Amino acid sequence: MLAGYLPLGTAGFSRADAADLLDLTRTWGAPRLRLFAGGVGRDQAGADQRRAILRDLGTMADMAHDRGLRIAVETHPQTLADSLPATLDLLDALDHPAVGVNFDVLHVWESGADPVSAFAALREHVDHLHLKSVTARDRLSVFHPDNVHDPRGSRDGMCPLLTGAVDYAAFLRVVPAGMGASLEWFGSKPAATMAADLRALRRDLLDRAA
């Protein structure tokens, strides 16, 4: 999966930029492009904003379908997929065969939903998983885009996947074999941290299989 950023629902959205990003996705051999469903939460979006975001997502989905690709809409705060009901409504409104979900476990948990129940509700639409954790709810702001994408931003609250506040032990029990997933890490020593997370995940899977 390629993770892309486009200003959906705004005057800055360009079909040419969309085509370039989709062509890059195909060039890299990725089957899907991750996108955010706009930059405003469902309850904060006006009717015109919602229609504009859905229009641009529909355009992206049509363009992706023509290229044999899929669009994976991420469950993320401050988007039209900021909660389980919002994500279900979005999928229903789009009703497009090329649209699926990038299920970000932490952000689903952040919304107040139980990731296990939310995954079951969205299972037929989930194309990919994003895996990261946090030490406590009062540290969730560490993942705000203005902080996490700033190399000088705080990293207080980021932690190895299986040691955080999100109950990954329970969640991993319901993930089917073969589901694609990406580890996310924005702190120091990314290669070492993700390698350790991967070893811990493999141990957990082996323990459950024993």
Side-chain angles (χ1 to χ4, degrees):
M1 184 175 71
L2 191 74
Y5 298 89
L6 290 171
L8 301 180
T10 75
F13 176 73
S14 159
R15 286 183 63 96
D17 291 342
D20 286 345
L21 192 53
L22 286 165
D23 289 342
L24 181 63
T25 303
R26 188 167 57 179
T27 296
W28 277 69
R32 61 186 58 86
L33 171 67
R34 188 290 310 268
L35 290 175
F36 292 150
V40 61
R42 183 184 69 165
D43 292 343
Q44 291 74 46
D48 289 344
Q49 284 179 299
R50 176 177 169 80
R51 279 193 294 269
I53 294 167
L54 288 172
R55 178 199 65 216
D56 290 348
L57 271 174
T59 296
M60 290 295 304
D62 287 341
M63 295 172 70
H65 190 265
D66 290 344
R67 291 165 170 78
L69 302 173
R70 289 180 60 78
I71 298 298
V73 176
E74 182 160 326
T75 53
H76 200 280
Q78 298 178 317
T79 72
L80 295 187
D82 59 0
S83 68
L84 175 58
T87 305
L88 289 168
D89 286 349
L90 178 71
L91 291 167
D92 184 62
L94 289 170
D95 191 24
H96 198 291
V99 174
V101 171
N102 180 45
F103 190 97
D104 188 301
V105 181
L106 178 132
H107 290 314
V108 169
W109 176 80
E110 179 180 2
S111 76
D114 169 36
V116 172
S117 299
F119 183 78
L122 290 168
R123 174 65 190 90
E124 64 179 298
H125 303 287
V126 176
D127 282 350
H128 197 81
L129 304 174
H130 265 180
L131 310 177
K132 58 179 177 284
S133 198
V134 71
T135 55
R137 282 192 177 275
D138 64 4
R139 293 292 182 268
L140 280 167
S141 62
V142 74
F143 289 111
H144 189 280
D146 289 345
N147 178 74
V148 80
H149 294 151
D150 184 348
R152 299 164 299 177
S154 171
R155 298 301 184 251
D156 182 25
M158 296 181 184
C159 64
L161 192 67
L162 299 182
T163 65
V166 181
D167 187 358
Y168 273 100
F171 179 75
L172 290 171
R173 284 196 290 269
V174 303
V175 176
M179 173 65 71
S182 299
L183 291 169
E184 287 195 286
W185 181 254
F186 300 92
S188 62
K189 301 180 180 178
T193 301
M194 288 190 288
D197 270 349
L198 186 57
R199 288 193 296 270
L201 283 169
R202 286 172 171 161
R203 283 196 301 270
D204 179 81
L205 292 170
L206 287 172
D207 288 346
R208 286 190 283 121

